[in-house]
């Protein structure tokens, strides 16, 4: 019985793994093309650079405090910290890019050099992404880095999607200044 369960578990994992990677080529091309075009816009670079100047001295205790506040606001009716981010010019730009995608992009959020949200098209569950692969596998890797998550099915919409994250470079210096994550509806590829 144990052997049968192990075989079934292994075949499910192998199927899921193959399924998870089915769109890697298309998602990588998306990251290197249309996504790169969106995130190299002057308004994206300027917003990240401005926030990097503000957050450069933040220690982990400050980051944790901000993340705790954000997480509490996600569940609250009063959301001053979230509203400040959602109401900024970068968030408006990202929302417009999401809406122009015809449903291909389900969310877009930009992170600074600490992994903190700079702008977003939809509310994220947390403020600090620096402890997650979407930031660590892009910002810390360097220019041209791309991280593609496993495919996930949204239970409410039944949509199959993946997160595509890339590092963002200051075109003037070639230095990585932040990262971005796009939720991608793979049915729209």
């Amino acid at each position: 019985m144990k052997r049968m369960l192990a075989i079934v578990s292994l075949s499910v994992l192998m199927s899921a793994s193959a399924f998870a990677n089915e769109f890697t080529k298309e998602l990588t091309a998306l990251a290197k093309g249309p996504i790169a075009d969106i995130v190299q816009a002057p308004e994206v670079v300027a917003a990240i650079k401005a926030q990097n100047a503000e957050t450069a001295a933040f220690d982990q205790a400050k980051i944790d405090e901000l993340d705790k506040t954000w997480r509490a606001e996600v569940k609250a009716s009063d959301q001053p910290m979230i509203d400040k981010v959602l109401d900024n010019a970068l968030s408006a730009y990202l929302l417009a890019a999401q809406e122009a995608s015809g449903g291909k992009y389900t969310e877009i959020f930009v992170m600074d050099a600490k992994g903190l949200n700079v702008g977003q098209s939809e509310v994220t569950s947390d403020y600090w992404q620096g402890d997650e692969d979407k930031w660590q596998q892009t910002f810390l890797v360097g220019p041209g880095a791309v991280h593609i998550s496993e495919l996930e099915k949204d239970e409410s919409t039944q949509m199959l999607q993946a997160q595509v994250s890339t590092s963002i470079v200051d075109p003037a210096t070639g230095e990585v200044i932040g990262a971005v994550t796009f939720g991608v509806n793979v049915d729209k590829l």
Side-chain angles (χ1 to χ4, degrees), residues 143-155:
V146 175
H147 177 265
I148 298 172
S149 74
E150 302 226 357
L151 292 175
E152 293 183 7
K153 183 176 255 183
D154 183 298
E155 291 304 318

Side-chain angles (χ1 to χ4, degrees), residues 42-52 88-90 110 112 118-119 177:
E43 50 266 65
V44 176
V45 173
I48 296 170
K49 289 171 74 172
Q51 184 161 310
N52 282 345
N88 72 30
L90 177 58
V110 170
D112 68 7
V118 181
I177 56 172

Side-chain angles (χ1 to χ4, degrees), residues 113-126:
K114 298 280 186 177
L116 300 170
N117 293 345
V118 181
Q120 58 203 59
S121 64
E122 305 287 333
V123 177
T124 56
S125 59
D126 56 352

Side-chain angles (χ1 to χ4, degrees), residues 86-126:
L86 285 177
D87 292 342
N88 72 30
L90 177 58
S91 292
Y93 171 78
L94 298 174
L95 181 58
Q98 179 180 330
E99 290 173 347
S101 77
K104 183 184 294 183
Y105 305 137
T106 59
E107 67 178 337
I108 308 170
F109 53 96
V110 170
M111 301 154 273
D112 68 7
K114 298 280 186 177
L116 300 170
N117 293 345
V118 181
Q120 58 203 59
S121 64
E122 305 287 333
V123 177
T124 56
S125 59
D126 56 352

Side-chain angles (χ1 to χ4, degrees), residues 35-48 90 93 168-169 171:
I35 288 175
D37 293 342
I38 292 169
V39 301
Q40 285 303 304
E43 50 266 65
V44 176
V45 173
I48 296 170
L90 177 58
Y93 171 78
I168 300 176
V169 174

